[in-house]
């Protein structure tokens, strides 16, 4: 790997001071001048700056090396820096991630993009960092999970949905629930089981080592969109709908954040079998048949004296049928700041260098082959007018041909867009109880497609 891909400690320190200056409106030139002064005091990396702020010794260092009194940091700035900077675990985790990408580039590590099976078993996923023979056969979330576990010795199961392990959408949900931000100055209690993560909602505050996550918005388990795989057959659709209902029933507050695999709840299989029996009775055996009959479904069930479906159930079925998402999200380590790529547009474009495991990575200009697995490259993000962030994701083919839009734009050739393959999930149905109440019938189903909205969030390891 060329050395340009590895950031020096001094560069990372400069990025952090620039991001801090932006976060707290410190003014033009603040970061540059403070970088010069802290360097003159022998503080040349984020770890030293973090320790100096945490132990409140930074001004002693500045004074010792002759920095003018007016250039010392006031108490409020020190407190804010203490809350803003990543901690030792964050430093080690990022070093591990970037070293992994470096070894892959040098040819001293074996990597592939591999999904862990739905059943939770390791499957073809492989992670071994013994000596110089590194093996990193993981997907995007598997890369982040294994880096965290290697550094913290913790399996990191703080937010689950439909797997025994955290996926990208689960990290998104976890970050969303964190009340502490990198702009805040409140200390996180030692007993807080969130491990002192802080939330980042503005990517202009990103520094190397932060974890960025994005996912298509929806009401499937985990808060992401249903995917095209979820509507591949009727059993699969019913399973994900009931799993979503169970997940939504548990996620009312932080103390009740889901920490179990809802898809394994015994209720799911029971519910799926009972609903399939009802649908078979009215001639519905495929997803397309279900979608075309959603509006008259309950009236047909009533005519045969079957208990009808809740409106919430019908809404989730409709959302799943209309979904165009091909995956449930992606997760990366930031290895650089957000750099604006345009000067005047409705959605300002920023590019961030990242380390991640991807199925569709860097394309070889000579052979045209696309690399996969752990690597370092770029991602582009767009700032919405309301201050939130998004990015483009490829769309699946609609369920019905008449739902297809003709104005879809191609992926940006300057960005290695994430087009993860559909999740490989086994066909075993899981399930719930049959209790469903009646609801007013609806019109026959229209063929409108579901809008694909992608949200972005990030977290920082301040521990």
């Amino acid at each position: 790997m060329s050395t340009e891909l590895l950031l020096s400690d001094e560069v990372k320190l400069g990025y952090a001071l620039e991001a801090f200056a932006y976060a707290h409106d410190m003014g033009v030139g603040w970061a540059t001048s403070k970088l010069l002064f802290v360097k003159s005091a022998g503080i040349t990396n984020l770890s030293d700056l973090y320790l100096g702020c945490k132990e409140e010794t930074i001004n002693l260092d500045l004074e010792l090396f002759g920095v003018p009194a007016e250039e010392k940091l006031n108490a409020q700035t020190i407190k804010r820096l203490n809350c803003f900077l990543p901690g030792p675990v964050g430093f080690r985790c990022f070093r591990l991630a970037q070293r992994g990408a470096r070894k892959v580039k040098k040819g001293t590590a074996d990597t592939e993009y591999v999904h862990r099976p739905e059943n939770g078993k390791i499957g073809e996923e492989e992670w071994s960092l013994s000596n110089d023979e590194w093996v990193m056969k993981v997907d995007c979330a598997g890369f982040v999970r294994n880096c965290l576990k290697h550094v913290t010795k913790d399996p990191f199961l703080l937010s689950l949905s439909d797997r025994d392990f955290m996926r990208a959408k689960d990290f998104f949900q976890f970050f969303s629930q964190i009340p502490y931000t990198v702009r805040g100055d409140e200390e996180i209690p030692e007993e807080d089981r969130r491990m002192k993560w802080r939330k980042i909602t503005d990517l202009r505050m990103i520094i190397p080592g932060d974890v960025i996550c994005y996912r298509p918005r929806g009401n499937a388990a985990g808060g992401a969109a249903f995917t095209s795989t979820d509507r591949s057959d009727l059993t699969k659709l019913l399973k994900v709908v009931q799993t979503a209902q169970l997940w939504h029933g548990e996620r009312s507050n932080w103390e009740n954040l889901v920490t179990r695999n809802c898809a394994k709840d015994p209720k799911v299989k029971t519910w799926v079998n009972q609903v399939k029996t009802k649908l078979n009775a009215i001639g519905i055996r495929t997803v397309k048949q279900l979608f075309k009959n959603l509006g008259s479904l309950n009236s047909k069930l009533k005519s045969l004296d079957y208990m009808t479906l809740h409106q919430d159930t019908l809404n989730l079925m409709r959302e799943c049928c209309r979904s165009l998402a091909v995956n449930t999200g992606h997760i990366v380590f930031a290895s650089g700041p957000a750099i604006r790529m345009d000067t005047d547009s409705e959605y300002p474009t920023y590019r961030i260098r990242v380390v991640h495991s991807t199925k569709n990575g860097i394309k070889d200009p000579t052979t045209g082959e696309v690399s996969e697995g752990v690597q370092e490259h770029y991602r582009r993000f767009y700032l919405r007018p309301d201050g939130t962030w998004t990015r483009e994701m490829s769309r699946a083919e609609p369920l019905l041909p008449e739902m297809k839009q003709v104005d879809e734009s191609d992926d940006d050739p300057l960005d290695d867009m994430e087009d993860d393959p559909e999740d490989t999930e086994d066909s075993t149905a899981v399930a719930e109880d049959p209790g469903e109440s009646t609801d007013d019938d609806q019109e026959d189903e229209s063929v409108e497609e579901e809008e694909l909205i992608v949200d972005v969030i990030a977290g920082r390891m301040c521990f």
Side-chain angles (χ1 to χ4, degrees), residues 9 15 21 28 54 168 217 220 236 261 301 334 359 362 371 397:
D9 289 340
Y15 284 155
V28 178
K54 185 177 180 63
R217 187 189 306 172
K236 169 69 71 174
N261 179 355
L301 290 175
K359 181 67 174 178
I362 305 168
S371 61
E397 286 294 316

Side-chain angles (χ1 to χ4, degrees), residues 105 361-371 375 377 413:
K105 187 72 174 181
I362 305 168
K363 180 181 290 187
D364 188 300
T366 304
T367 65
E369 293 183 355
V370 176
S371 61
Q375 56 193 272
H377 205 37

Side-chain angles (χ1 to χ4, degrees), residues 11-129:
V11 170
K12 287 186 283 189
L13 179 59
Y15 284 155
L17 290 174
E18 288 283 358
F20 178 81
Y22 167 77
H24 291 286
D25 300 316
M26 304 303 287
V28 178
W30 183 91
T32 302
S33 65
K34 289 300 181 285
L35 177 60
L36 292 174
F37 287 126
V38 297
K39 284 170 53 182
S40 69
I43 298 173
T44 58
N45 57 60
L46 279 173
S47 182
D48 289 344
L49 181 61
Y50 170 84
L51 190 62
C53 292
K54 185 177 180 63
E55 298 182 353
E56 299 184 357
T57 59
I58 185 169
N59 280 334
L60 294 176
D61 293 331
L62 294 174
E63 181 180 359
L64 180 63
F65 285 88
V67 172
E70 63 271 17
E71 295 297 339
K72 293 181 181 180
L73 304 179
N74 62 41
Q76 184 182 52
T77 299
I78 293 174
K79 185 177 183 180
R80 286 176 171 176
L81 273 169
N82 191 36
C83 295
F84 185 85
L85 297 173
V89 170
F91 302 142
R92 294 198 299 272
C93 199
F94 174 61
R95 282 200 299 267
L96 173 63
Q98 198 173 42
R99 187 183 178 198
R102 180 187 185 188
K103 289 179 72 66
V104 170
K105 187 72 174 181
K106 291 174 65 178
T108 58
D110 184 15
T111 187
E112 290 181 27
Y113 185 86
V114 176
H115 278 302
R116 177 176 284 197
E118 180 181 5
N119 60 20
K121 296 181 179 179
I122 296 297
E124 296 181 356
E125 180 180 293
E126 187 176 353
W127 179 270
S128 174
L129 308 183

Side-chain angles (χ1 to χ4, degrees), residues 119-178:
N119 60 20
K121 296 181 179 179
I122 296 297
E124 296 181 356
E125 180 180 293
E126 187 176 353
W127 179 270
S128 174
L129 308 183
S130 59
N131 301 320
D132 288 333
E133 300 298 325
W134 287 27
V135 179
M136 297 174 289
K137 297 182 179 181
V138 290
D139 62 10
C140 63
F143 180 56
V144 174
R145 287 196 312 268
N146 279 286
C147 284
L148 285 168
K149 185 177 179 180
H150 186 85
V151 171
T152 66
K153 312 305 178 186
D154 190 305
F156 206 78
L157 299 173
L158 295 178
S159 176
L160 299 178
S161 56
D162 53 5
R163 297 288 192 277
D164 291 332
F165 48 89
M166 287 178 67
R167 306 167 76 189
K169 64 177 180 178
D170 301 317
F171 277 95
F172 188 104
Q173 178 67 15
F174 170 63
F175 292 158
S176 300
Q177 293 285 339
I178 297 173

Side-chain angles (χ1 to χ4, degrees), residues 314-380:
L314 296 174
N315 290 342
L316 289 172
M317 289 177 171
R318 181 178 296 107
E319 181 179 333
C320 187
C321 289
R322 288 177 171 174
S323 178
L324 299 178
V326 296
N327 58 62
T328 57
H330 193 60
I331 187 167
V332 304
F333 287 102
S335 61
I339 305 297
R340 184 160 182 177
M341 304 300 294
D342 60 356
T343 56
D344 184 25
S345 66
E346 181 182 0
Y347 288 78
T349 305
Y350 289 79
R351 190 172 74 161
I352 301 176
R353 194 168 189 88
V354 303
V355 180
H356 62 154
S357 181
T358 177
K359 181 67 174 178
N360 293 274
I362 305 168
K363 180 181 290 187
D364 188 300
T366 304
T367 65
E369 293 183 355
V370 176
S371 61
E372 69 169 78
V374 175
Q375 56 193 272
E376 189 168 14
H377 205 37
Y378 293 95
R379 278 288 185 267
R380 291 190 178 217

Side-chain angles (χ1 to χ4, degrees), residues 356-425:
H356 62 154
S357 181
T358 177
K359 181 67 174 178
N360 293 274
I362 305 168
K363 180 181 290 187
D364 188 300
T366 304
T367 65
E369 293 183 355
V370 176
S371 61
E372 69 169 78
V374 175
Q375 56 193 272
E376 189 168 14
H377 205 37
Y378 293 95
R379 278 288 185 267
R380 291 190 178 217
F381 300 91
Y382 305 95
L383 178 61
R384 297 184 181 118
D386 64 358
T388 59
W389 293 78
T390 188
R391 69 171 269 113
E392 295 176 352
M393 292 183 74
S394 293
R395 294 166 176 253
E397 286 294 316
L399 180 63
L400 302 177
E402 54 266 39
M403 293 168 61
K404 188 170 184 178
Q405 292 185 343
V406 296
D407 60 346
E408 295 181 20
S409 59
D410 293 331
D411 289 344
D412 189 336
L414 298 179
D415 184 2
D416 59 326
M417 306 295 287
E418 185 63 29
D419 298 322
D420 291 343
E422 296 173 348
D423 293 343
T424 53
E425 301 181 353

Side-chain angles (χ1 to χ4, degrees), residues 243-253 256 258 260 262:
T243 300
Q245 290 179 312
L246 292 175
W247 182 83
H248 281 286
E250 291 193 13
R251 66 178 191 92
S252 58
N253 53 50
N256 206 25
V258 179
R260 71 182 182 108
C262 293

